[in-house]
Amino acid sequence: NAGVMQNPRHLVRRRGQEARLRCSPMKGHSHVYWYRQLPEEGLKFMVYLQKENIIDESGMPKERFSAEFPKEGPSILRIQQVVRGDSAAYFCASSPQASGGSYEQYFGPGTRLTVT
Amino acid sequence: RKEVEQDPGPFNVPEGATVAFNCTYSNSASQSFFWYRQDCRKEPKLLMSVYSSGNEDGRFTAQLNRASQYISLLIRDSKLSDSATYLCVVGHNDMRFGAGTRLTVKP
């Protein structure tokens, strides 16, 4: 049973380019979460999605960031016009259900974004 | 006030020591509680869930005090391999992570 998969593992972008990060949840999991971790800092919640729905995007910056989880295919976190401050590790997690947040989340290996 | 607060450490302890981490949370309606560990430049991994009655898994013991909104993790007979950052996680409608407590176990 494959775990949460993320790709690419490392991504380098120049300022102003777009970054697309992909996440495939564990088999049987329909809830996906994205987190950002800056160097030497803790995980910051960004967005929670179910298939075709954004449930909670309270942690997403208002501009340049978007996320989707289509009916088919992986979840995508998209960052437009990247800036140096976007350099971070982006982790995706999945859970089978999320009734009241009671189900533990399983994390992918992360995508390390470097903006030059 | 942060939703989940942890002492950032670092905790530097010798092998075999007992070490305790504390965590407080602000949302009294929180329903689920976990400890994760994160190794340097790796993803967080679930260490254990925390139940109201307290629970133990080998050398690890977790406690929950709902009245004080406080969670703890005790590690007995610490090993070099326990060196990591320990994340307190609290769930309500979603999960909120503490910033983590860094532990280094030295020979």
Side-chain angles (χ1 to χ4, degrees):
Chain A
N1 184 14
V4 179
M5 299 179 71
Q6 289 188 250
N7 68 82
R9 294 289 302 277
H10 300 274
L11 182 62
V12 179
R13 285 287 178 266
R14 290 199 182 96
R15 278 180 296 170
Q17 290 185 319
E18 179 180 287
R20 281 186 180 235
L21 289 60
R22 295 175 191 78
C23 169
S24 296
M26 284 180 73
K27 188 176 180 181
H29 288 194
S30 57
H31 299 254
V32 166
Y33 311 80
W34 285 94
Y35 296 86
R36 176 164 65 176
Q37 188 171 36
L38 294 168
E40 303 302 320
E41 293 191 16
L43 283 165
K44 300 294 184 191
F45 168 78
M46 298 181 75
V47 63
Y48 161 35
L49 310 105
Q50 294 178 30
K51 287 280 187 184
E52 300 185 280
N53 282 305
I54 296 174
I55 307 302
D56 180 356
E57 56 182 347
S58 58
M60 286 275 272
K62 294 285 184 277
E63 297 176 351
R64 303 188 297 108
F65 285 72
S66 62
E68 62 176 5
F69 189 16
K71 188 177 180 182
E72 302 291 338
S75 176
I76 306 281
L77 178 68
R78 182 181 177 208
I79 312 172
Q80 295 177 290
Q81 299 175 323
V82 296
V83 300
R84 288 225 171 100
D86 297 333
S87 295
Y90 291 83
F91 290 100
C92 169
S94 72
S95 67
Q97 297 181 49
S99 43
S102 300
Y103 290 86
E104 56 265 29
Q105 297 177 8
Y106 295 88
F107 282 80
T111 294
R112 299 194 180 277
L113 172 66
T114 302
V115 179
T116 61
Chain B
R1 183 184 173 188
K2 290 182 182 176
E3 292 182 74
V4 181
E5 292 205 60
Q6 293 183 251
D7 181 344
F11 284 60
N12 298 307
V13 304
E15 269 187 294
T18 295
V19 60
F21 304 136
N22 302 321
C23 170
T24 57
Y25 60 95
S26 60
N27 187 346
S28 59
S30 298
Q31 300 166 332
S32 54
F33 310 90
F34 308 93
W35 284 100
Y36 280 70
R37 69 170 278 168
Q38 185 175 25
D39 293 282
C40 187
R41 300 182 68 79
K42 297 287 185 74
E43 73 270 26
K45 293 189 176 176
L46 178 67
L47 181 64
M48 59 197 303
S49 302
V50 187
Y51 305 117
S52 296
S53 54
N55 49 302
E56 188 173 308
D57 182 1
R59 297 181 293 107
F60 299 83
T61 301
Q63 299 274 356
L64 167 64
N65 184 322
R66 284 187 184 270
S68 302
Q69 295 179 208
Y70 168 97
I71 306 160
S72 66
L73 176 69
L74 184 76
I75 305 175
R76 291 181 298 278
D77 188 24
S78 51
K79 312 289 185 193
L80 295 176
S81 58
D82 294 334
S83 297
T85 297
Y86 290 83
L87 307 174
C88 172
V89 184
V90 175
H92 178 51
N93 294 318
D94 51 40
M95 288 173 42
R96 302 294 173 174
F97 284 73
T101 300
R102 185 173 292 181
L103 171 67
T104 302
V105 181
K106 301 188 178 221

